[in-house]
PDB file of all heavy atoms in Angstrom:
ATOM      1  N   ASP A 218     -90.585   5.962  84.502  1.00 91.00           N
ATOM      2  CA  ASP A 218     -91.701   6.875  84.544  1.00 91.00           C
ATOM      3  C   ASP A 218     -92.940   6.325  83.852  1.00 91.00           C
ATOM      4  O   ASP A 218     -94.069   6.739  84.150  1.00 91.00           O
ATOM      5  CB  ASP A 218     -91.293   8.205  83.916  1.00 91.00           C
ATOM      6  CG  ASP A 218     -92.343   9.288  84.170  1.00 91.00           C
ATOM      7  OD1 ASP A 218     -92.449   9.724  85.348  1.00 91.00           O
ATOM      8  OD2 ASP A 218     -93.011   9.743  83.240  1.00 91.00           O
ATOM      9  N   ALA A 219     -92.737   5.393  82.945  1.00 93.00           N
ATOM     10  CA  ALA A 219     -93.879   4.742  82.306  1.00 93.00           C
ATOM     11  C   ALA A 219     -94.779   4.013  83.331  1.00 93.00           C
ATOM     12  O   ALA A 219     -96.001   3.907  83.168  1.00 93.00           O
ATOM     13  CB  ALA A 219     -93.401   3.740  81.251  1.00 93.00           C
ATOM     14  N   VAL A 220     -94.179   3.520  84.371  1.00 92.00           N
ATOM     15  CA  VAL A 220     -94.890   2.835  85.443  1.00 92.00           C
ATOM     16  C   VAL A 220     -95.855   3.838  86.118  1.00 92.00           C
ATOM     17  O   VAL A 220     -97.067   3.552  86.359  1.00 92.00           O
ATOM     18  CB  VAL A 220     -93.988   2.183  86.473  1.00 92.00           C
ATOM     19  CG1 VAL A 220     -94.762   1.496  87.592  1.00 92.00           C
ATOM     20  CG2 VAL A 220     -93.013   1.246  85.786  1.00 92.00           C
ATOM     21  N   HIS A 221     -95.336   5.027  86.386  1.00 92.00           N
ATOM     22  CA  HIS A 221     -96.199   6.098  86.990  1.00 92.00           C
ATOM     23  C   HIS A 221     -97.278   6.494  86.019  1.00 92.00           C
ATOM     24  O   HIS A 221     -98.408   6.740  86.437  1.00 92.00           O
ATOM     25  CB  HIS A 221     -95.317   7.295  87.370  1.00 92.00           C
ATOM     26  CG  HIS A 221     -96.056   8.457  87.842  1.00 92.00           C
ATOM     27  ND1 HIS A 221     -96.221   9.581  87.065  1.00 92.00           N
ATOM     28  CD2 HIS A 221     -96.814   8.658  88.972  1.00 92.00           C
ATOM     29  CE1 HIS A 221     -96.944  10.485  87.714  1.00 92.00           C
ATOM     30  NE2 HIS A 221     -97.305   9.957  88.843  1.00 92.00           N
ATOM     31  N   SER A 222     -96.940   6.665  84.746  1.00 91.00           N
ATOM     32  CA  SER A 222     -97.951   7.098  83.757  1.00 91.00           C
ATOM     33  C   SER A 222     -99.069   6.074  83.617  1.00 91.00           C
ATOM     34  O   SER A 222    -100.249   6.447  83.537  1.00 91.00           O
ATOM     35  CB  SER A 222     -97.255   7.343  82.404  1.00 91.00           C
ATOM     36  OG  SER A 222     -96.272   8.339  82.498  1.00 91.00           O
ATOM     37  N   ALA A 223     -98.718   4.777  83.631  1.00 92.00           N
ATOM     38  CA  ALA A 223     -99.785   3.764  83.601  1.00 92.00           C
ATOM     39  C   ALA A 223    -100.635   3.785  84.803  1.00 92.00           C
ATOM     40  O   ALA A 223    -101.848   3.582  84.768  1.00 92.00           O
ATOM     41  CB  ALA A 223     -99.093   2.366  83.406  1.00 92.00           C
ATOM     42  N   GLY A 224    -100.045   4.064  85.974  1.00 90.00           N
ATOM     43  CA  GLY A 224    -100.828   4.140  87.227  1.00 90.00           C
ATOM     44  C   GLY A 224    -101.795   5.320  87.210  1.00 90.00           C
ATOM     45  O   GLY A 224    -102.843   5.324  87.833  1.00 90.00           O
ATOM     46  N   GLU A 225    -101.436   6.402  86.447  1.00 90.00           N
ATOM     47  CA  GLU A 225    -102.303   7.580  86.319  1.00 90.00           C
ATOM     48  C   GLU A 225    -103.358   7.437  85.246  1.00 90.00           C
ATOM     49  O   GLU A 225    -104.155   8.295  85.021  1.00 90.00           O
ATOM     50  CB  GLU A 225    -101.463   8.824  86.039  1.00 90.00           C
ATOM     51  CG  GLU A 225    -100.478   9.199  87.179  1.00 90.00           C
ATOM     52  CD  GLU A 225    -101.242   9.752  88.375  1.00 90.00           C
ATOM     53  OE1 GLU A 225    -102.245  10.461  88.180  1.00 90.00           O
ATOM     54  OE2 GLU A 225    -100.859   9.439  89.498  1.00 90.00           O
ATOM     55  N   GLY A 226    -103.312   6.306  84.477  1.00 89.00           N
ATOM     56  CA  GLY A 226    -104.265   6.078  83.406  1.00 89.00           C
ATOM     57  C   GLY A 226    -103.840   6.638  82.087  1.00 89.00           C
ATOM     58  O   GLY A 226    -104.584   6.536  81.070  1.00 89.00           O
ATOM     59  N   ALA A 227    -102.633   7.197  82.006  1.00 90.00           N
ATOM     60  CA  ALA A 227    -102.094   7.743  80.749  1.00 90.00           C
ATOM     61  C   ALA A 227    -101.382   6.634  79.974  1.00 90.00           C
ATOM     62  O   ALA A 227    -100.172   6.571  79.913  1.00 90.00           O
ATOM     63  CB  ALA A 227    -101.168   8.896  81.017  1.00 90.00           C
ATOM     64  N   TYR A 228    -102.189   5.686  79.428  1.00 91.00           N
ATOM     65  CA  TYR A 228    -101.598   4.553  78.785  1.00 91.00           C
ATOM     66  C   TYR A 228    -100.796   4.869  77.535  1.00 91.00           C
ATOM     67  O   TYR A 228     -99.786   4.223  77.188  1.00 91.00           O
ATOM     68  CB  TYR A 228    -102.717   3.511  78.470  1.00 91.00           C
ATOM     69  CG  TYR A 228    -103.466   3.050  79.711  1.00 91.00           C
ATOM     70  CD1 TYR A 228    -104.805   3.356  79.869  1.00 91.00           C
ATOM     71  CD2 TYR A 228    -102.808   2.391  80.751  1.00 91.00           C
ATOM     72  CE1 TYR A 228    -105.521   2.974  81.019  1.00 91.00           C
ATOM     73  CE2 TYR A 228    -103.463   1.988  81.873  1.00 91.00           C
ATOM     74  CZ  TYR A 228    -104.849   2.275  82.027  1.00 91.00           C
ATOM     75  OH  TYR A 228    -105.527   1.888  83.130  1.00 91.00           O
ATOM     76  N   GLY A 229    -101.252   5.874  76.797  1.00 91.00           N
ATOM     77  CA  GLY A 229    -100.548   6.294  75.621  1.00 91.00           C
ATOM     78  C   GLY A 229     -99.153   6.839  75.950  1.00 91.00           C
ATOM     79  O   GLY A 229     -98.198   6.515  75.272  1.00 91.00           O
ATOM     80  N   VAL A 230     -99.121   7.670  77.007  1.00 91.00           N
ATOM     81  CA  VAL A 230     -97.829   8.173  77.425  1.00 91.00           C
ATOM     82  C   VAL A 230     -96.915   7.088  77.913  1.00 91.00           C
ATOM     83  O   VAL A 230     -95.719   7.049  77.653  1.00 91.00           O
ATOM     84  CB  VAL A 230     -98.049   9.236  78.523  1.00 91.00           C
ATOM     85  CG1 VAL A 230     -96.717   9.733  79.067  1.00 91.00           C
ATOM     86  CG2 VAL A 230     -98.839  10.412  77.973  1.00 91.00           C
ATOM     87  N   ALA A 231     -97.483   6.143  78.677  1.00 92.00           N
ATOM     88  CA  ALA A 231     -96.710   5.038  79.175  1.00 92.00           C
ATOM     89  C   ALA A 231     -96.141   4.195  78.011  1.00 92.00           C
ATOM     90  O   ALA A 231     -94.954   3.799  78.004  1.00 92.00           O
ATOM     91  CB  ALA A 231     -97.551   4.139  80.081  1.00 92.00           C
ATOM     92  N   ALA A 232     -96.941   3.943  76.996  1.00 93.00           N
ATOM     93  CA  ALA A 232     -96.488   3.163  75.834  1.00 93.00           C
ATOM     94  C   ALA A 232     -95.383   3.938  75.091  1.00 93.00           C
ATOM     95  O   ALA A 232     -94.393   3.357  74.637  1.00 93.00           O
ATOM     96  CB  ALA A 232     -97.637   2.883  74.908  1.00 93.00           C
ATOM     97  N   ALA A 233     -95.521   5.232  75.015  1.00 93.00           N
ATOM     98  CA  ALA A 233     -94.483   6.084  74.305  1.00 93.00           C
ATOM     99  C   ALA A 233     -93.181   6.087  75.128  1.00 93.00           C
ATOM    100  O   ALA A 233     -92.086   5.969  74.518  1.00 93.00           O
ATOM    101  CB  ALA A 233     -95.029   7.507  74.167  1.00 93.00           C
ATOM    102  N   GLU A 234     -93.280   6.119  76.445  1.00 91.00           N
ATOM    103  CA  GLU A 234     -92.072   6.099  77.233  1.00 91.00           C
ATOM    104  C   GLU A 234     -91.357   4.750  77.182  1.00 91.00           C
ATOM    105  O   GLU A 234     -90.150   4.688  77.069  1.00 91.00           O
ATOM    106  CB  GLU A 234     -92.442   6.480  78.705  1.00 91.00           C
ATOM    107  CG  GLU A 234     -92.789   7.955  78.871  1.00 91.00           C
ATOM    108  CD  GLU A 234     -93.218   8.270  80.285  1.00 91.00           C
ATOM    109  OE1 GLU A 234     -93.807   7.393  80.945  1.00 91.00           O
ATOM    110  OE2 GLU A 234     -92.985   9.403  80.723  1.00 91.00           O
ATOM    111  N   LEU A 235     -92.119   3.692  77.247  1.00 93.00           N
ATOM    112  CA  LEU A 235     -91.512   2.355  77.100  1.00 93.00           C
ATOM    113  C   LEU A 235     -90.928   2.209  75.714  1.00 93.00           C
ATOM    114  O   LEU A 235     -89.862   1.652  75.522  1.00 93.00           O
ATOM    115  CB  LEU A 235     -92.591   1.295  77.359  1.00 93.00           C
ATOM    116  CG  LEU A 235     -92.801   0.810  78.809  1.00 93.00           C
ATOM    117  CD1 LEU A 235     -93.845  -0.281  78.832  1.00 93.00           C
ATOM    118  CD2 LEU A 235     -91.496   0.299  79.426  1.00 93.00           C
ATOM    119  N   GLY A 236     -91.695   2.668  74.694  1.00 93.00           N
ATOM    120  CA  GLY A 236     -91.158   2.542  73.330  1.00 93.00           C
ATOM    121  C   GLY A 236     -89.902   3.316  73.106  1.00 93.00           C
ATOM    122  O   GLY A 236     -89.015   2.915  72.409  1.00 93.00           O
ATOM    123  N   SER A 237     -89.787   4.521  73.730  1.00 93.00           N
ATOM    124  CA  SER A 237     -88.568   5.296  73.601  1.00 93.00           C
ATOM    125  C   SER A 237     -87.362   4.609  74.196  1.00 93.00           C
ATOM    126  O   SER A 237     -86.251   4.590  73.628  1.00 93.00           O
ATOM    127  CB  SER A 237     -88.748   6.699  74.190  1.00 93.00           C
ATOM    128  OG  SER A 237     -88.921   6.644  75.596  1.00 93.00           O
ATOM    129  N   ALA A 238     -87.606   3.950  75.379  1.00 93.00           N
ATOM    130  CA  ALA A 238     -86.509   3.252  76.027  1.00 93.00           C
ATOM    131  C   ALA A 238     -86.116   2.049  75.159  1.00 93.00           C
ATOM    132  O   ALA A 238     -84.911   1.746  74.981  1.00 93.00           O
ATOM    133  CB  ALA A 238     -86.915   2.799  77.433  1.00 93.00           C
ATOM    134  N   ALA A 239     -87.117   1.313  74.610  1.00 94.00           N
ATOM    135  CA  ALA A 239     -86.773   0.189  73.759  1.00 94.00           C
ATOM    136  C   ALA A 239     -86.069   0.609  72.464  1.00 94.00           C
ATOM    137  O   ALA A 239     -85.151  -0.020  71.992  1.00 94.00           O
ATOM    138  CB  ALA A 239     -88.066  -0.584  73.440  1.00 94.00           C
ATOM    139  N   ALA A 240     -86.482   1.774  71.917  1.00 94.00           N
ATOM    140  CA  ALA A 240     -85.865   2.283  70.713  1.00 94.00           C
ATOM    141  C   ALA A 240     -84.428   2.652  70.976  1.00 94.00           C
ATOM    142  O   ALA A 240     -83.526   2.355  70.147  1.00 94.00           O
ATOM    143  CB  ALA A 240     -86.640   3.478  70.179  1.00 94.00           C
ATOM    144  N   VAL A 241     -84.155   3.277  72.092  1.00 94.00           N
ATOM    145  CA  VAL A 241     -82.751   3.616  72.454  1.00 94.00           C
ATOM    146  C   VAL A 241     -81.915   2.393  72.636  1.00 94.00           C
ATOM    147  O   VAL A 241     -80.767   2.325  72.263  1.00 94.00           O
ATOM    148  CB  VAL A 241     -82.789   4.534  73.700  1.00 94.00           C
ATOM    149  CG1 VAL A 241     -81.331   4.697  74.199  1.00 94.00           C
ATOM    150  CG2 VAL A 241     -83.339   5.867  73.377  1.00 94.00           C
ATOM    151  N   LEU A 242     -82.539   1.351  73.274  1.00 93.00           N
ATOM    152  CA  LEU A 242     -81.799   0.095  73.426  1.00 93.00           C
ATOM    153  C   LEU A 242     -81.430  -0.493  72.074  1.00 93.00           C
ATOM    154  O   LEU A 242     -80.326  -0.975  71.853  1.00 93.00           O
ATOM    155  CB  LEU A 242     -82.667  -0.881  74.241  1.00 93.00           C
ATOM    156  CG  LEU A 242     -82.079  -2.316  74.395  1.00 93.00           C
ATOM    157  CD1 LEU A 242     -80.771  -2.269  75.088  1.00 93.00           C
ATOM    158  CD2 LEU A 242     -83.071  -3.203  75.134  1.00 93.00           C
ATOM    159  N   GLY A 243     -82.334  -0.428  71.145  1.00 93.00           N
ATOM    160  CA  GLY A 243     -82.054  -0.941  69.773  1.00 93.00           C
ATOM    161  C   GLY A 243     -80.939  -0.117  69.118  1.00 93.00           C
ATOM    162  O   GLY A 243     -80.068  -0.732  68.466  1.00 93.00           O
ATOM    163  N   LEU A 244     -80.971   1.183  69.283  1.00 94.00           N
ATOM    164  CA  LEU A 244     -79.912   2.024  68.676  1.00 94.00           C
ATOM    165  C   LEU A 244     -78.590   1.756  69.315  1.00 94.00           C
ATOM    166  O   LEU A 244     -77.545   1.749  68.653  1.00 94.00           O
ATOM    167  CB  LEU A 244     -80.258   3.543  68.849  1.00 94.00           C
ATOM    168  CG  LEU A 244     -81.485   4.025  68.047  1.00 94.00           C
ATOM    169  CD1 LEU A 244     -81.793   5.484  68.411  1.00 94.00           C
ATOM    170  CD2 LEU A 244     -81.206   3.872  66.528  1.00 94.00           C
ATOM    171  N   VAL A 245     -78.564   1.531  70.640  1.00 92.00           N
ATOM    172  CA  VAL A 245     -77.326   1.193  71.333  1.00 92.00           C
ATOM    173  C   VAL A 245     -76.773  -0.111  70.804  1.00 92.00           C
ATOM    174  O   VAL A 245     -75.545  -0.259  70.571  1.00 92.00           O
ATOM    175  CB  VAL A 245     -77.575   1.168  72.843  1.00 92.00           C
ATOM    176  CG1 VAL A 245     -76.357   0.560  73.567  1.00 92.00           C
ATOM    177  CG2 VAL A 245     -77.837   2.565  73.393  1.00 92.00           C
ATOM    178  N   LEU A 246     -77.626  -1.095  70.613  1.00 92.00           N
ATOM    179  CA  LEU A 246     -77.179  -2.398  70.113  1.00 92.00           C
ATOM    180  C   LEU A 246     -76.631  -2.281  68.688  1.00 92.00           C
ATOM    181  O   LEU A 246     -75.659  -2.936  68.345  1.00 92.00           O
ATOM    182  CB  LEU A 246     -78.325  -3.416  70.164  1.00 92.00           C
ATOM    183  CG  LEU A 246     -78.824  -3.824  71.531  1.00 92.00           C
ATOM    184  CD1 LEU A 246     -80.003  -4.751  71.440  1.00 92.00           C
ATOM    185  CD2 LEU A 246     -77.649  -4.514  72.340  1.00 92.00           C
ATOM    186  N   VAL A 247     -77.286  -1.465  67.830  1.00 91.00           N
ATOM    187  CA  VAL A 247     -76.773  -1.208  66.493  1.00 91.00           C
ATOM    188  C   VAL A 247     -75.362  -0.530  66.532  1.00 91.00           C
ATOM    189  O   VAL A 247     -74.482  -0.935  65.790  1.00 91.00           O
ATOM    190  CB  VAL A 247     -77.756  -0.384  65.651  1.00 91.00           C
ATOM    191  CG1 VAL A 247     -77.164   0.058  64.357  1.00 91.00           C
ATOM    192  CG2 VAL A 247     -79.067  -1.159  65.433  1.00 91.00           C
ATOM    193  N   TRP A 248     -75.270   0.476  67.375  1.00 90.00           N
ATOM    194  CA  TRP A 248     -73.985   1.112  67.558  1.00 90.00           C
ATOM    195  C   TRP A 248     -72.892   0.151  68.035  1.00 90.00           C
ATOM    196  O   TRP A 248     -71.770   0.154  67.505  1.00 90.00           O
ATOM    197  CB  TRP A 248     -74.191   2.284  68.575  1.00 90.00           C
ATOM    198  CG  TRP A 248     -72.932   3.020  68.909  1.00 90.00           C
ATOM    199  CD1 TRP A 248     -71.863   3.281  68.052  1.00 90.00           C
ATOM    200  CD2 TRP A 248     -72.601   3.594  70.169  1.00 90.00           C
ATOM    201  NE1 TRP A 248     -70.916   4.006  68.742  1.00 90.00           N
ATOM    202  CE2 TRP A 248     -71.297   4.197  70.040  1.00 90.00           C
ATOM    203  CE3 TRP A 248     -73.249   3.651  71.422  1.00 90.00           C
ATOM    204  CZ2 TRP A 248     -70.703   4.896  71.132  1.00 90.00           C
ATOM    205  CZ3 TRP A 248     -72.647   4.308  72.451  1.00 90.00           C
ATOM    206  CH2 TRP A 248     -71.388   4.901  72.314  1.00 90.00           C
ATOM    207  N   TRP A 249     -73.267  -0.682  68.982  1.00 87.00           N
ATOM    208  CA  TRP A 249     -72.331  -1.693  69.507  1.00 87.00           C
ATOM    209  C   TRP A 249     -71.936  -2.627  68.356  1.00 87.00           C
ATOM    210  O   TRP A 249     -70.755  -3.028  68.248  1.00 87.00           O
ATOM    211  CB  TRP A 249     -73.003  -2.436  70.646  1.00 87.00           C
ATOM    212  CG  TRP A 249     -72.106  -3.336  71.479  1.00 87.00           C
ATOM    213  CD1 TRP A 249     -70.728  -3.393  71.371  1.00 87.00           C
ATOM    214  CD2 TRP A 249     -72.550  -4.223  72.441  1.00 87.00           C
ATOM    215  NE1 TRP A 249     -70.289  -4.319  72.253  1.00 87.00           N
ATOM    216  CE2 TRP A 249     -71.326  -4.845  72.949  1.00 87.00           C
ATOM    217  CE3 TRP A 249     -73.763  -4.570  73.021  1.00 87.00           C
ATOM    218  CZ2 TRP A 249     -71.361  -5.800  73.961  1.00 87.00           C
ATOM    219  CZ3 TRP A 249     -73.799  -5.545  74.036  1.00 87.00           C
ATOM    220  CH2 TRP A 249     -72.626  -6.131  74.506  1.00 87.00           C
ATOM    221  N   HIS A 250     -72.906  -3.100  67.560  1.00 87.00           N
ATOM    222  CA  HIS A 250     -72.605  -3.991  66.438  1.00 87.00           C
ATOM    223  C   HIS A 250     -71.633  -3.413  65.479  1.00 87.00           C
ATOM    224  O   HIS A 250     -70.690  -4.065  65.044  1.00 87.00           O
ATOM    225  CB  HIS A 250     -73.945  -4.373  65.778  1.00 87.00           C
ATOM    226  CG  HIS A 250     -73.769  -5.331  64.597  1.00 87.00           C
ATOM    227  ND1 HIS A 250     -73.446  -4.868  63.359  1.00 87.00           N
ATOM    228  CD2 HIS A 250     -73.904  -6.645  64.491  1.00 87.00           C
ATOM    229  CE1 HIS A 250     -73.351  -5.897  62.525  1.00 87.00           C
ATOM    230  NE2 HIS A 250     -73.627  -6.991  63.209  1.00 87.00           N
ATOM    231  N   ARG A 251     -71.849  -2.170  65.075  1.00 87.00           N
ATOM    232  CA  ARG A 251     -70.940  -1.520  64.146  1.00 87.00           C
ATOM    233  C   ARG A 251     -69.571  -1.284  64.759  1.00 87.00           C
ATOM    234  O   ARG A 251     -68.557  -1.456  64.038  1.00 87.00           O
ATOM    235  CB  ARG A 251     -71.563  -0.192  63.701  1.00 87.00           C
ATOM    236  CG  ARG A 251     -72.817  -0.349  62.859  1.00 87.00           C
ATOM    237  CD  ARG A 251     -73.350   0.996  62.374  1.00 87.00           C
ATOM    238  NE  ARG A 251     -74.512   0.833  61.526  1.00 87.00           N
ATOM    239  CZ  ARG A 251     -75.180   1.826  60.984  1.00 87.00           C
ATOM    240  NH1 ARG A 251     -74.808   3.082  61.204  1.00 87.00           N
ATOM    241  NH2 ARG A 251     -76.252   1.578  60.211  1.00 87.00           N
ATOM    242  N   THR A 252     -69.515  -0.994  66.019  1.00 85.00           N
ATOM    243  CA  THR A 252     -68.231  -0.788  66.642  1.00 85.00           C
ATOM    244  C   THR A 252     -67.425  -2.105  66.709  1.00 85.00           C
ATOM    245  O   THR A 252     -66.236  -2.130  66.424  1.00 85.00           O
ATOM    246  CB  THR A 252     -68.429  -0.248  68.081  1.00 85.00           C
ATOM    247  OG1 THR A 252     -69.140   0.963  68.045  1.00 85.00           O
ATOM    248  CG2 THR A 252     -67.086   0.001  68.759  1.00 85.00           C
ATOM    249  N   LEU A 253     -68.095  -3.178  67.071  1.00 83.00           N
ATOM    250  CA  LEU A 253     -67.410  -4.484  67.104  1.00 83.00           C
ATOM    251  C   LEU A 253     -66.923  -4.905  65.713  1.00 83.00           C
ATOM    252  O   LEU A 253     -65.847  -5.459  65.565  1.00 83.00           O
ATOM    253  CB  LEU A 253     -68.347  -5.573  67.677  1.00 83.00           C
ATOM    254  CG  LEU A 253     -68.575  -5.561  69.202  1.00 83.00           C
ATOM    255  CD1 LEU A 253     -69.527  -6.690  69.586  1.00 83.00           C
ATOM    256  CD2 LEU A 253     -67.241  -5.767  69.899  1.00 83.00           C
ATOM    257  N   ASP A 254     -67.792  -4.675  64.719  1.00 81.00           N
ATOM    258  CA  ASP A 254     -67.393  -5.016  63.327  1.00 81.00           C
ATOM    259  C   ASP A 254     -66.112  -4.209  62.954  1.00 81.00           C
ATOM    260  O   ASP A 254     -65.210  -4.789  62.288  1.00 81.00           O
ATOM    261  CB  ASP A 254     -68.530  -4.679  62.397  1.00 81.00           C
ATOM    262  CG  ASP A 254     -68.191  -5.088  60.985  1.00 81.00           C
ATOM    263  OD1 ASP A 254     -68.113  -6.292  60.665  1.00 81.00           O
ATOM    264  OD2 ASP A 254     -67.998  -4.164  60.139  1.00 81.00           O
ATOM    265  N   ARG A 255     -66.091  -2.961  63.322  1.00 81.00           N
ATOM    266  CA  ARG A 255     -64.919  -2.154  62.965  1.00 81.00           C
ATOM    267  C   ARG A 255     -63.675  -2.626  63.735  1.00 81.00           C
ATOM    268  O   ARG A 255     -62.555  -2.732  63.198  1.00 81.00           O
ATOM    269  CB  ARG A 255     -65.167  -0.684  63.325  1.00 81.00           C
ATOM    270  CG  ARG A 255     -64.027   0.245  62.925  1.00 81.00           C
ATOM    271  CD  ARG A 255     -64.403   1.671  63.118  1.00 81.00           C
ATOM    272  NE  ARG A 255     -64.610   2.027  64.486  1.00 81.00           N
ATOM    273  CZ  ARG A 255     -65.778   2.259  65.065  1.00 81.00           C
ATOM    274  NH1 ARG A 255     -66.888   2.164  64.306  1.00 81.00           N
ATOM    275  NH2 ARG A 255     -65.902   2.565  66.335  1.00 81.00           N
ATOM    276  N   LEU A 256     -63.820  -2.991  65.018  1.00 76.00           N
ATOM    277  CA  LEU A 256     -62.710  -3.458  65.821  1.00 76.00           C
ATOM    278  C   LEU A 256     -62.161  -4.777  65.350  1.00 76.00           C
ATOM    279  O   LEU A 256     -60.971  -5.035  65.379  1.00 76.00           O
ATOM    280  CB  LEU A 256     -63.121  -3.566  67.294  1.00 76.00           C
ATOM    281  CG  LEU A 256     -63.349  -2.263  68.068  1.00 76.00           C
ATOM    282  CD1 LEU A 256     -63.927  -2.560  69.480  1.00 76.00           C
ATOM    283  CD2 LEU A 256     -62.029  -1.502  68.214  1.00 76.00           C
ATOM    284  N   MET A 257     -63.078  -5.622  64.805  1.00 74.00           N
ATOM    285  CA  MET A 257     -62.665  -6.963  64.416  1.00 74.00           C
ATOM    286  C   MET A 257     -62.067  -7.037  63.013  1.00 74.00           C
ATOM    287  O   MET A 257     -61.341  -7.983  62.656  1.00 74.00           O
ATOM    288  CB  MET A 257     -63.865  -7.920  64.470  1.00 74.00           C
ATOM    289  CG  MET A 257     -64.466  -8.051  65.836  1.00 74.00           C
ATOM    290  SD  MET A 257     -63.371  -8.864  66.976  1.00 74.00           S
ATOM    291  CE  MET A 257     -64.444  -9.022  68.429  1.00 74.00           C
ATOM    292  N   THR A 258     -62.355  -6.038  62.201  1.00 74.00           N
ATOM    293  CA  THR A 258     -61.972  -6.120  60.785  1.00 74.00           C
ATOM    294  C   THR A 258     -61.022  -5.020  60.305  1.00 74.00           C
ATOM    295  O   THR A 258     -60.391  -5.208  59.252  1.00 74.00           O
ATOM    296  CB  THR A 258     -63.210  -6.061  59.893  1.00 74.00           C
ATOM    297  OG1 THR A 258     -63.909  -4.819  60.113  1.00 74.00           O
ATOM    298  CG2 THR A 258     -64.155  -7.196  60.184  1.00 74.00           C
ATOM    299  N   ARG A 259     -60.859  -3.957  61.077  1.00 68.00           N
ATOM    300  CA  ARG A 259     -60.026  -2.883  60.587  1.00 68.00           C
ATOM    301  C   ARG A 259     -58.806  -2.722  61.484  1.00 68.00           C
ATOM    302  O   ARG A 259     -58.922  -2.803  62.757  1.00 68.00           O
ATOM    303  CB  ARG A 259     -60.801  -1.540  60.574  1.00 68.00           C
ATOM    304  CG  ARG A 259     -61.989  -1.596  59.618  1.00 68.00           C
ATOM    305  CD  ARG A 259     -62.714  -0.281  59.645  1.00 68.00           C
ATOM    306  NE  ARG A 259     -63.944  -0.343  58.858  1.00 68.00           N
ATOM    307  CZ  ARG A 259     -64.815   0.619  58.716  1.00 68.00           C
ATOM    308  NH1 ARG A 259     -64.556   1.800  59.295  1.00 68.00           N
ATOM    309  NH2 ARG A 259     -65.905   0.480  58.016  1.00 68.00           N
ATOM    310  N   PRO A 260     -57.620  -2.456  60.979  1.00 64.00           N
ATOM    311  CA  PRO A 260     -56.459  -2.317  61.824  1.00 64.00           C
ATOM    312  C   PRO A 260     -56.439  -0.942  62.527  1.00 64.00           C
ATOM    313  O   PRO A 260     -57.076   0.025  62.025  1.00 64.00           O
ATOM    314  CB  PRO A 260     -55.291  -2.382  60.811  1.00 64.00           C
ATOM    315  CG  PRO A 260     -55.896  -1.893  59.511  1.00 64.00           C
ATOM    316  CD  PRO A 260     -57.309  -2.354  59.521  1.00 64.00           C
TER     317      PRO A 260
END
Side-chain angles (χ1 to χ4, degrees):
D218 191 67
V220 181
H221 173 252
S222 299
E225 295 290 323
Y228 301 115
V230 175
E234 289 176 327
L235 273 180
S237 65
V241 170
L242 176 59
L244 292 175
V245 168
L246 292 176
V247 171
W248 176 35
W249 191 9
H250 178 277
R251 292 183 177 179
T252 302
L253 282 179
D254 183 69
R255 184 174 65 254
L256 288 174
M257 299 295 185
T258 59
R259 300 181 186 178

